[in-house]
């Protein structure tokens, strides 16, 4: 299974839509969002764009109304909004999800996860920490000049980091 992984939207739904389109073209059938939609309106758009696919999400430090986001996710048949750090199993892989690098580093060092995924820094990273994949897909906001996401292949256990060739005005 290919899982589209993205983070740090910061209300840039104009970047979200082409990113979701591209992830689908790359064969993603499941999505993971690692925090910082910012507003419930952006989270609503995320839910609309993933409504036919499973979505696992965690809140970030700039998600200002997490309770509304939780209610929205609960009303969606395939979406789950986890706590700020979650350890889940999908397609034979144990995944650590968090917006914060501290949780990802802790899980990667512990050996409890096959992949420790995080956001927050807006910097794309893919490295190994022992037997664990430690990865940040970068950002959809575009603050750093790179708009990107990752595609995790659960068969190969490799994440490919992609730049979105999209420049909004």
């Amino acid at each position: 299974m290919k899982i589209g992984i993205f983070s740090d939207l910061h209300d840039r739904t104009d970047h979200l839509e082409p990113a979701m389109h591209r992830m689908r073209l790359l064969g993603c059938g499941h999505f993971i969002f690692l925090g910082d939609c910012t507003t419930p309106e952006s989270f609503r758009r995320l839910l609309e764009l993933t409504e036919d696919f499973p979505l696992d999400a965690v809140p970030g430090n700039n998600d200002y109304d997490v309770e509304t986001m939780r209610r929205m996710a609960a009303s969606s048949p395939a979406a789950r909004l986890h706590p700020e750090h979650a350890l889940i199993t999908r397609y034979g892989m144990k995944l650590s999800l968090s917006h914060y690098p501290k949780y990802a580093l802790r899980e990667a060092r512990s050996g409890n996860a096959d992949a420790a995924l995080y956001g927050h820094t807006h910097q794309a990273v893919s490295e190994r920490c022992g037997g664990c994949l430690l990865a940040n897909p970068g950002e959809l906001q575009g603050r750093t000049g790179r708009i990107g996401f990752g595609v995790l292949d659960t068969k190969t256990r490799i994440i490919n980091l992609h730049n979105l060739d999209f420049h909004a005005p």
Side-chain angles (χ1 to χ4, degrees):
M1 171 62 70
K2 290 185 180 175
I3 303 175
I5 301 170
F6 52 104
S7 184
D8 294 284
L9 179 61
H10 294 274
D11 287 331
R12 291 304 302 261
T13 56
D14 56 326
H15 294 173
L16 175 63
E17 294 179 31
M20 294 298 300
H21 177 72
R22 178 107 177 271
M23 285 185 272
R24 282 193 208 108
L25 287 176
L26 291 168
C28 295
H30 191 122
F31 297 95
I32 292 175
F33 179 68
L34 298 169
D36 278 1
C37 260
T38 307
T39 62
E41 292 77 23
S42 291
F43 192 67
R44 181 176 295 110
R45 187 66 184 133
L46 171 59
L47 291 174
E48 289 169 358
L49 291 169
T50 60
E51 71 182 337
D52 295 329
F53 300 92
L55 169 70
D56 287 290
V58 292
N61 61 303
N62 287 301
D63 289 319
Y64 301 115
D65 192 350
V66 175
E67 286 311 310
T68 298
M69 291 167 60
R70 282 194 201 293
R71 285 191 300 274
M72 293 165 66
S75 68
S76 174
R80 290 187 182 101
L81 182 61
H82 301 279
E84 73 176 31
H85 175 235
L87 200 55
I88 64 173
T89 301
R90 299 289 183 266
Y91 314 104
M93 286 187 77
K94 197 170 199 180
L95 307 172
S96 168
L97 311 180
S98 181
H99 184 65
Y100 304 100
K102 66 181 179 181
Y103 295 119
L105 286 169
R106 183 178 72 202
E107 289 296 343
R109 290 178 182 144
S110 76
N112 289 332
D114 297 309
L117 309 170
Y118 67 99
H120 190 62
T121 66
H122 294 240
Q123 299 296 316
V125 172
S126 174
E127 59 190 11
R128 287 275 170 196
C129 182
C132 182
L133 170 65
L134 180 63
N136 182 329
E139 62 167 341
L140 288 183
Q141 179 185 14
R143 184 184 80 187
T144 64
R146 178 193 177 272
I147 301 167
F149 58 87
V151 175
L152 174 63
D153 186 324
T154 61
K155 288 181 184 175
T156 63
R157 298 182 176 217
I158 293 172
I159 190 168
N160 290 306
L161 300 173
H162 297 266
N163 291 329
L164 187 63
D165 297 324
F166 171 79
H167 302 286

